[in-house]
Amino acid sequence: MPPFKQEIENIKTYEAGKPFELIARDYGVAEDEIVKLASNENPFGTSPKVKAKVAELASKMHRYPDDSYFALKLALAKKFDVKSENIIIGAGSDQIFEFISRALIERGDVILQNKIAFAMYAIYAAQVGGRIIRTDTLRHDLKAFEKLLANNPKVIYICTPSNPYGDALDRDETFEFLGKTDKRTLVVIDAAYMEYAAFKDERKLIEPKELIERFPNAIYAGTFSKAYGLGGMRVGYGIARGDIIEALHKLRPPFNITTLSLAAAIEALGDSAFVQRTIEHNFKEMTRYESFAREIGLTYEPSYANFIAFTFPKGKNASDTANALLKRGMIVRDLKSYDLNALRVTIGLSAENDRFFELFRERWR
Ligand SMILES: *Cc1c(COP(=O)(O)O)cnc(C)c1O
């Protein structure tokens, strides 16, 4: 075997969820009976307008997309009241994090993040030899971040609402924190679930325009994978001052999203009613999960996103429950990899949520 770099040797491969086909085969559940509440996808799927557009454009898939992503950037610029020069498009916001790592982090540089956070921040950082420092708090606590600023982080990841816990920061406290950061530190606001938080409590809303006008060292990362229902299309974006965007663009491979993804994202931005319905449904169903948790004796963190994390009492094992549910065709996210005795459940359609309550109750007795 050729000698792979030490950085690569040290990385644990990201484990995505099991595919439906495998679960069906391994547990003898019919594929169409499987309920997946594990990846924070939109339970309504994708806007019908987007599906129609993609079908219409299927005959164009031999064409490369417009690599400048002109129309998508224009639509995003209009939505957020920023300029196209302030936007970079990624294959999911994941790819924006990858550009950030490769552009900024050298071996030994510090990346600061919450104790529990989206696993990819640390994986991209580790690929380039970064040193990850975590707070010791489960929820995002900016005082805990502040205490660690003395380590001179190159990059700080703030996820609000946060995954997998669902807590969200107030805009004002976030801006106050940003004011204390060094201008040489890039602060990433991972806003994958911002649409949900903004609906639940407007004090949580961080708008990219205000963020980048006030802070030259901040970048806002958004995605079409969650509220917009386009996880499988892989479209995300970064919004920052022009000089940051220009630097990140040097790392972007040409045609990093596809002809169909590009069209889907543009169309999705035009159907805000679909997103609105998605979010209203989400919080209506969320209250059912909260009542359920109280009834059964699980603790949960009030969530500003499209999922809810349940912490199990001592003596009850969340992984065992996740496995038992899996055997019945119900896929939820076990948070064992975060050292938590907890599960994260994506809010699904009403009937899917009913099924979750039913299977969970059976198991709990
Ligand atoms: C889903 C998610 C993203 C975005 O994922 P992409 O599909 O790559 O856009 C980013 N951050 C968090 C915390 C997420 O949960």
Side-chain angles (χ1 to χ4, degrees):
M1 190 168 88
F4 288 104
K5 296 194 295 183
Q6 196 58 51
E7 285 89 341
I8 304 300
E9 297 282 339
N10 295 342
I11 292 170
K12 249 178 57 205
T13 307
Y14 182 82
E15 262 189 62
K18 264 193 180 192
F20 280 39
E21 294 83 345
L22 271 187
I23 293 168
R25 196 196 63 194
D26 291 355
Y27 302 120
V29 187
E31 247 182 75
D32 59 1
E33 274 175 24
I34 295 173
V35 176
K36 183 182 176 206
L37 301 177
S39 300
N40 305 338
E41 294 151 336
N42 188 322
F44 296 112
T46 307
S47 149
K49 290 180 182 164
V50 172
K51 283 189 246 178
K53 188 73 189 177
V54 171
E56 180 193 323
L57 281 181
S59 63
K60 294 280 195 298
M61 68 171 91
H62 61 297
R63 300 279 182 212
Y64 284 106
D66 160 24
D67 185 54
S68 75
Y69 307 136
F70 174 80
L72 176 56
K73 284 189 193 166
L74 199 66
L76 283 167
K78 198 162 149 234
K79 175 179 164 67
F80 291 118
D81 192 20
V82 297
K83 296 205 173 77
S84 291
E85 302 93 86
N86 297 120
I87 302 172
I88 181 166
I89 304 298
S93 52
D94 249 292
Q95 197 178 30
I96 306 296
F97 306 143
E98 188 193 354
F99 296 157
I100 288 168
S101 271
R102 285 167 50 211
L104 283 161
I105 297 165
E106 295 182 270
R107 182 190 275 267
D109 282 345
V110 169
I111 294 89
L112 177 55
Q113 64 159 62
N114 196 53
K115 176 174 180 168
I116 54 167
F118 192 47
M120 293 314 297
Y121 306 154
I123 293 179
Y124 290 129
Q127 287 172 356
V128 288
R131 194 156 65 86
I132 294 115
I133 294 185
R134 300 165 198 264
T135 65
D136 54 10
T137 50
L138 293 176
R139 265 174 234 141
H140 273 58
D141 173 349
L142 293 174
K143 290 277 174 293
F145 275 83
E146 213 179 306
K147 274 193 222 142
L148 296 169
L149 288 179
N151 293 292
N152 288 322
K154 263 273 175 70
V155 178
I156 303 175
Y157 284 100
I158 304 279
C159 189
T160 179
S162 93
N163 181 6
Y165 235 41
D167 56 303
L169 294 165
D170 283 350
R171 168 183 49 244
D172 292 349
E173 59 169 335
T174 308
F175 285 173
E176 200 185 305
F177 170 77
L178 272 152
K180 292 173 185 156
T181 58
D182 192 298
K183 296 298 158 266
R184 294 171 58 80
T185 300
L186 184 68
V187 183
V188 183
I189 303 293
D190 182 350
Y193 304 94
M194 188 61 79
E195 294 88 352
Y196 293 94
F199 174 89
K200 184 170 176 179
D201 181 350
E202 67 164 51
R203 284 172 305 182
K204 308 294 181 189
L205 171 62
I206 294 172
E207 288 175 296
K209 178 186 169 69
E210 188 183 4
L211 177 73
I212 69 173
E213 275 176 3
R214 290 180 59 175
F215 304 103
N217 61 322
I219 184 165
Y220 180 99
T223 181
F224 285 90
S225 298
K226 308 288 160 55
Y228 287 90
L230 289 175
M233 286 303 229
R234 317 300 308 125
V235 191
Y237 50 89
I239 303 179
R241 293 263 181 112
D243 49 1
I244 295 177
I245 295 299
E246 204 179 310
L248 295 181
H249 261 131
K250 295 180 185 177
L251 295 149
R252 186 184 67 84
F255 315 117
N256 58 323
I257 66 169
T258 71
T259 302
L260 296 183
S261 307
L262 176 62
I266 295 166
E267 198 66 24
L269 280 177
D271 193 357
S272 53
F274 175 80
V275 177
Q276 187 66 18
R277 271 200 306 281
T278 295
I279 296 173
E280 282 170 11
H281 164 88
N282 180 70
F283 287 111
K284 205 172 95 219
E285 292 292 314
M286 180 88 78
T287 61
R288 299 182 61 213
Y289 276 92
E290 291 167 349
S291 311
F292 176 76
R294 280 193 297 268
E295 178 199 314
I296 213 160
L298 290 167
T299 50
Y300 65 90
E301 185 66 20
S303 170
Y304 292 84
N306 63 346
F307 54 81
I308 185 163
F310 295 122
T311 305
F312 280 48
K314 276 208 178 67
K316 298 255 191 193
N317 186 297
S319 299
D320 290 348
T321 299
N323 289 329
L325 292 174
L326 192 60
K327 287 186 182 133
R328 307 292 305 275
M330 167 67 59
I331 321 171
V332 298
R333 181 80 153 88
D334 179 5
L335 298 181
K336 188 175 59 183
S337 62
Y338 295 97
D339 265 340
L340 296 175
N341 186 24
L343 298 181
R344 189 196 66 194
V345 186
T346 302
I347 311 298
L349 298 172
S350 299
E352 293 174 327
N353 301 331
D354 289 342
R355 181 84 178 136
F356 172 83
F357 300 141
E358 179 194 330
L359 291 176
F360 199 102
R361 271 205 189 88
E362 262 175 39
R363 163 80 200 165
W364 201 248
R365 276 192 220 107

